Amino acid sequence: YFLKNGSLRSVNVNDPTSTDEILVKNDVETILVSNDGENVYIVDKNDTLYYVEGAEETTRIADDVENVYMTIDGTVLYTDEDNVLYCSENGKKGEKIDDDVCYVEVELGTVVYYADKNSSTGNASVSISDDGTSFEKVAGSKEFRIPGSEYNY
């Protein structure tokens, strides 16, 4: 899978005579592909998240997507403009996980997120998941720093 002129395309790299096929025309800005290539999601220029089922076949998952992440097995997590975290598996509509999410980290199959930050105390709750779908609240955090940021949150 690759982007060319804003279109999502695919090509069979094992076949030297293969030509690229347009799967989604125009306006694609982000591609997420699972390791096995079975789950393909895109985000367009209007911040709409789609699941790609085949050539010109997509399912709209969500509008107003701010950030999008994929676990190693193809589960997609995304936040909307209201900082609500959702999870989508195999092209299904996203299920709400939590409100007031201020930071998400995905490393292979593990997902960690911070939510419910209290601006007066700097406290936030920390939740973790091994599959990106079932989360366990593990702790409250006094103050945390987003990696790469000079600011405490």
Side-chain angles (χ1 to χ4, degrees):
Y1 298 95
F2 63 99
L3 278 177
K4 182 176 181 182
N5 299 326
S7 295
L8 174 65
R9 297 170 180 250
S10 69
V11 66
N12 182 349
V13 294
N14 296 319
D15 180 0
T17 63
S18 175
T19 59
D20 61 326
E21 173 186 15
I22 296 175
L23 297 177
V24 179
K25 291 181 183 176
N26 304 325
D27 300 334
V28 177
E29 291 195 344
T30 304
I31 307 170
L32 298 135
V33 182
S34 62
N35 279 358
D36 62 8
E38 296 295 316
N39 291 294
V40 180
Y41 289 81
I42 60 169
V43 179
D44 70 9
K45 72 174 186 173
N46 297 316
D47 299 327
T48 302
L49 176 66
Y50 294 92
Y51 181 75
V52 179
E53 299 176 50
E56 297 301 319
E57 294 179 47
T58 59
T59 300
R60 182 186 298 235
I61 303 299
D63 296 314
D64 303 318
V65 172
E66 291 286 321
N67 297 292
V68 62
Y69 315 87
M70 181 178 271
T71 65
I72 196 167
D73 68 352
T75 299
V76 167
L77 296 125
Y78 60 92
T79 55
D80 65 12
E81 60 187 5
D82 296 319
N83 297 319
V84 177
L85 180 64
Y86 295 89
C87 168
S88 172
E89 292 183 282
N90 302 314
K92 296 178 184 162
K93 290 286 184 195
E95 292 185 26
K96 182 178 172 182
I97 294 181
D98 207 343
D99 294 308
D100 299 321
V101 173
C102 49
Y103 180 71
V104 178
E105 178 72 31
V106 177
E107 187 67 37
L108 299 175
T110 303
V111 179
V112 176
Y113 74 87
Y114 294 86
D116 305 321
K117 183 183 174 300
N118 182 318
S119 59
S120 63
T121 65
N123 291 341
S125 65
V126 181
S127 298
I128 190 166
S129 171
D130 289 330
D131 61 7
T133 60
S134 301
F135 287 85
E136 176 184 352
K137 193 173 283 190
V138 292
S141 172
K142 282 200 166 219
E143 205 172 72
F144 66 93
R145 183 183 301 261
I146 293 178
S149 172
E150 61 185 275
Y151 303 106
N152 286 330
Y153 292 88

